[in-house]
Amino acid sequence: MGRIPIIRDFIGIIKDKASQSKVALLSDPKTLSLHLALLRATTHDPFTPPDPRHLATLLASGHTSRATVSTAIEVLMDRLQTTRDASVAIKCLITVHHIIKRGSFILQDRLSVYPSNGGRNYLKLSNFRDKTTLLTWELSYWVRWYALYLENLLQTSRVLGFFLSSASSSVDNNEEEEEKVSSLTNSQLLKEINSLGNLIEQISRMPNSLHTNGNILVDEVLGMVGEDYLASTNEVSIRVSEFKERLSCLSVFESVELGFALKRLEDCKERLSALGQMRNVLVETVWGSISEMKDQVGNDELYGEEGRLMTMESSKNKVSESSRYGERVLKLGDSVDFFSGRF
């Protein structure tokens, strides 16, 4: 049994060398460095993360032509979706995550629309299995979860209008973000907080695999997701604060929908509490705000089975209720642009 990992590692090294030799012979000289950087960043070694130098080469392609950027994304996605090796797959996903967080606008844009508009199983890894060893079998859980998480991250970024936790996001400029959020309609604000809830819920479903504890690839993933978690709780905090300003002008349906969104977020708290590296004063404050806001929106009956029936019943009248709310606003003046209680 002890010989299997050694043989597998040796075969992985041969595959890496063979792939690099093939690329050197067949690739366009203009993109050769790009192809080699990808192969060297996504080796078969399950104990080394992508080398920062090779990641930097890939990210640098985002400052070249659109054709080169398209090639970079296509090569990355092709390697991700054709490999059967868990180490290669998880390194490709880490590379995707680096593009989301650190890539240029054109690189992020090309990633977000590949191959079309994203959606469920966008990265095509929901059935990924590497049964070679016990380690690769458990890494496969991480590959499937991480792919679904990144799909959620891309979808949430589309809803918010910026890549969450990226260099181009507005996380570090709360005042500007609060101003933008204050101009949203109630329905837009609900859509954003629900999307953030989906992302945090996916983080809470992180695998807990015994044999991957201390694995450097898993630690790399945890570190990057942890940064996203802090950014997403910051965005939730801004939107919860905005809803506090609007409590008096929420319709019944909007109040119920907000209550469910907050309850769903609160249900993630216990599962996320085990992730000690993701806890800080900001996070604890946000969870307190969510609980307080949930209590203000409605009592516990809203969140039981009876509450579910109420929501279903309310949804039948969603259009007419929204229309009535819209009519009330329009009668006050068609030129009103802001929906926050601050204005």
Side-chain angles (χ1 to χ4, degrees), residues 126-316:
S126 59
N127 295 317
F128 185 89
R129 301 285 191 283
D130 182 350
K131 303 178 182 178
T132 309
T133 67
L134 187 58
L135 174 61
T136 60
W137 176 252
E138 293 203 358
L139 280 177
S140 297
Y141 284 102
W142 282 91
V143 169
R144 294 194 299 274
W145 170 82
Y146 197 21
L148 184 54
Y149 168 75
L150 291 176
E151 289 168 8
N152 273 272
L153 179 59
L154 286 168
Q155 181 61 32
T156 300
S157 296
R158 292 187 192 100
V159 171
L160 297 179
F162 60 86
F163 286 90
L164 192 69
S165 195
S166 72
S168 60
S169 74
S170 56
V171 168
D172 295 326
N173 192 348
N174 280 4
E175 187 173 334
E176 182 181 330
E177 179 68 356
E178 288 168 4
E179 184 177 348
K180 189 206 79 171
V181 167
S182 69
S183 67
L184 298 175
T185 64
N186 290 342
S187 60
Q188 290 171 329
L189 201 52
L190 283 167
K191 183 178 181 180
E192 290 192 354
I193 203 165
N194 272 311
S195 187
L196 286 162
N198 290 339
L199 185 66
I200 291 175
E201 194 169 48
Q202 183 59 27
I203 295 175
S204 74
R205 293 171 178 163
M206 187 179 294
N208 184 21
S209 306
L210 178 63
H211 294 86
T212 56
N213 286 342
N215 179 272
I216 196 165
L217 291 179
V218 172
D219 288 345
E220 182 89 357
V221 172
L222 285 172
M224 296 183 73
V225 172
E227 292 174 0
D228 293 346
Y229 175 55
L230 294 178
S232 60
T233 53
N234 181 73
E235 295 298 331
V236 167
S237 177
I238 291 172
R239 284 150 184 81
V240 168
S241 296
E242 180 59 31
F243 268 121
K244 286 183 179 179
E245 301 289 335
R246 304 188 185 194
L247 276 178
S248 61
C249 64
L250 295 180
S251 69
V252 173
F253 176 80
E254 289 166 345
S255 296
V256 173
E257 186 174 355
L258 175 60
F260 273 112
L262 295 171
K263 180 61 166 64
R264 189 157 64 97
L265 277 167
E266 196 173 50
D267 287 343
C268 299
K269 180 180 179 181
E270 185 175 348
R271 284 174 284 176
L272 289 167
S273 63
L275 302 173
Q277 70 273 31
M278 295 186 183
R279 297 180 65 183
N280 66 10
V281 175
L282 169 64
V283 171
E284 295 305 312
T285 301
V286 172
W287 286 121
S289 297
I290 289 172
S291 179
E292 179 185 345
M293 184 64 179
K294 179 178 69 67
D295 292 338
Q296 288 181 347
V297 170
N299 55 41
D300 291 339
E301 281 79 20
L302 286 175
Y303 312 116
E305 192 62 33
E306 184 179 347
R308 292 183 185 276
L309 295 174
M310 181 185 297
T311 302
M312 293 173 62
E313 185 65 29
S314 298
S315 64
K316 295 177 183 178

Side-chain angles (χ1 to χ4, degrees), residues 15-51:
K15 285 182 177 180
D16 290 333
K17 294 294 184 182
S19 297
Q20 292 173 33
S21 298
K22 182 179 178 181
V23 163
L25 289 171
L26 301 178
S27 292
D28 185 332
K30 295 180 179 178
T31 58
L32 175 59
S33 62
L34 190 62
H35 283 77
L36 289 175
L38 175 65
L39 291 174
R40 290 166 180 166
T42 58
T43 63
H44 290 73
D45 185 353
F47 300 106
T48 57
D51 191 306

Side-chain angles (χ1 to χ4, degrees), residues 59-97:
L59 293 174
S61 70
H63 301 287
T64 58
S65 66
R66 284 190 174 273
T68 301
V69 169
S70 294
T71 298
I73 296 299
E74 287 169 7
V75 169
L76 172 59
M77 289 300 189
D78 181 66
R79 185 155 175 80
L80 173 62
Q81 294 170 357
T82 58
T83 187
R84 294 293 177 267
D85 186 280
S87 302
V88 173
I90 204 164
K91 289 179 187 181
C92 285
L93 291 172
I94 289 172
T95 303
V96 169
H97 205 164

